[in-house]
Amino acid sequence: MGPTASGKTGLALRIAAEFPCEIISVDSVMIYRGMDIGSAKPDKTVLQTVPHHLIDILDPAETYSAANFRADALRQIRAIHARKHIPLLVGGTMLYFSSLLRGLSNMPGANAQVREKINLEAKAHGWEALHAYLAGIDPKAATQIHPNDPQRIQRALEVYEVSGIPISVWHAKSGAPRPMFEALKIALVPEDRGRLHERIRQRFEVMLADGFLGEVEALRCREELHSGLPSIRSVGYRQAWSHLAGECGYEAMCEKAVAATRQLAKRQLTWLRGETDLIRVRAEQYDIGNIYRAIDSHIGTSTCYTKGTPSR
């Protein structure tokens, strides 16, 4: 696990070359078909080299939740164990990691009517105003949700509207039973925030060169897709969609996308600081041997895995 642009995919592939791993993506954008460049989805060569799961499983018009991820991930983990391979979960969607490792409370599900009401209010007053309203009814949730994160603001208000109970209270309630496995948690943590910011900018420039705007334009050609969908509200896609709709210029789009990605990285790092039992690895430079030894020690003498048979 780690913030965006920290090198998670590269490390995962090195691990998979040494151990019999199958990768489970923990990414809320890679689940969507046709959203490849902007999500930094592994290319076909990588996907053919190491088995990957939970990539390209949904159409962008569909919605997906942490509960959906938990159910899908547990199913994949059981199947990978049955093949005597190691599930290697890789990504930066921290809510997905939390749902898998800690379970979820039985909070209300999605309510289309309430969501539409919230979206109309956002169009009339803006998401920052709704974030301010959230701060009044659920200060704890508001401190954990950025004012520019409409998806989480919407969900928090939806839960309160439907149940009358703040989402932070729901999160505090006991959730589903924890999985019957022990996870080894490895976190890539950049020590040089400036270098991470530069990597984020460079990666977005590469995405643009690779045809990111063409990818978003193809999505805009589909009548059923709109800017209110969770897929289109993803970082980078939201800003490109706005640019192609004539709402901002090219340079402004680039700056907004890079800034939003940096904010995402900041939230991911904040989450990691509160996580326990982590092997924290310096993203800029690490000893791969130490990581291999930690994995070997974690597996121990288990007979669940076919050790010594790398996936390559």
Side-chain angles (χ1 to χ4, degrees):
M1 55 183 70
T4 185
S6 60
K8 297 183 294 296
T9 298
L11 176 56
L13 293 178
R14 296 184 72 178
I15 292 172
E18 185 70 17
F19 296 89
C21 292
E22 296 185 33
I23 291 176
I24 298 176
S25 173
V26 188
D27 190 287
S28 61
V29 188
M30 290 187 189
I31 57 174
Y32 294 112
R33 294 184 290 273
M35 299 180 66
D36 305 332
I37 299 172
S39 67
K41 197 174 291 180
D43 61 31
K44 291 182 179 180
T45 301
V46 171
L47 295 175
Q48 291 170 354
T49 302
V50 181
H52 282 68
H53 306 279
L54 302 191
I55 289 178
D56 290 340
I57 61 173
L58 288 182
D59 185 86
E62 299 178 274
T63 59
Y64 197 72
S65 68
N68 294 141
F69 170 81
R70 175 184 168 85
D72 288 343
L74 287 174
R75 183 168 57 253
Q76 293 293 345
I77 287 169
R78 287 191 290 267
I80 294 169
H81 280 163
R83 291 189 287 272
K84 294 190 176 181
H85 287 173
I86 301 171
L88 175 57
L89 292 101
V90 183
T93 301
M94 303 308 180
L95 180 60
Y96 285 6
F97 277 119
S98 181
S99 73
L100 177 64
L101 298 173
R102 300 182 180 85
L104 290 166
S105 57
N106 297 317
M107 71 176 67
N111 185 301
Q113 185 175 358
V114 171
R115 286 195 172 188
E116 180 61 23
K117 175 186 174 184
I118 294 170
N119 284 334
L120 290 174
E121 291 178 354
K123 288 181 180 179
H125 306 291
W127 286 106
E128 288 191 6
L130 293 190
H131 185 270
Y133 172 67
L134 176 64
I137 60 175
D138 192 351
K140 184 175 181 180
T143 61
Q144 297 171 344
I145 300 174
H146 194 274
N148 293 331
D149 191 345
Q151 185 172 352
R152 294 183 66 198
I153 296 171
Q154 179 196 61
R155 179 57 179 155
L157 293 176
E158 175 189 39
V159 167
Y160 183 76
E161 183 78 13
V162 171
S163 68
I165 300 173
I167 196 170
S168 61
V169 175
W170 282 106
H171 284 158
K173 293 182 178 182
S174 59
R178 294 189 179 186
M180 296 302 291
F181 60 79
E182 293 185 12
L184 175 67
K185 296 185 287 186
I186 301 171
L188 275 174
V189 182
E191 293 184 358
D192 188 335
R193 191 70 62 90
R195 185 181 299 181
L196 176 64
H197 288 177
E198 185 56 29
R199 286 191 61 171
I200 288 171
R201 177 177 292 280
Q202 290 174 354
R203 190 171 71 165
F204 188 67
E205 291 173 353
V206 170
M207 288 177 179
L208 291 170
D210 287 345
F212 177 50
L213 288 180
E215 180 175 270
V216 178
E217 187 59 63
L219 296 171
R220 279 175 46 80
C221 289
R222 295 181 49 186
E223 293 183 358
E224 70 274 28
L225 300 184
H226 55 84
S227 61
L229 288 169
S231 58
I232 307 304
R233 290 206 302 262
S234 302
V235 168
Y237 285 92
R238 180 171 71 249
Q239 291 78 20
W241 188 285
S242 177
H243 165 63
L244 292 172
E247 297 171 357
C248 67
Y250 180 83
E251 294 299 330
M253 177 270 295
C254 292
E255 290 302 318
K256 289 179 179 180
V258 170
T261 308
R262 289 175 177 174
Q263 286 293 331
L264 171 62
K266 181 180 179 180
R267 294 194 296 272
Q268 291 166 320
L269 287 168
T270 298
W271 189 90
L272 286 173
R273 281 197 293 272
E275 191 67 12
T276 59
D277 303 323
L278 280 180
I279 295 178
R280 298 179 187 272
V281 176
R282 185 173 180 266
E284 292 84 358
Q285 185 176 8
Y286 52 81
D287 186 334
I288 191 65
N290 287 339
I291 296 173
Y292 289 162
R293 285 187 285 274
I295 296 171
D296 219 21
S297 175
H298 184 73
I299 296 171
T301 58
S302 171
T303 59
C304 294
Y305 308 118
T306 307
K307 295 179 68 176
T309 309
S311 56
R312 63 182 177 186

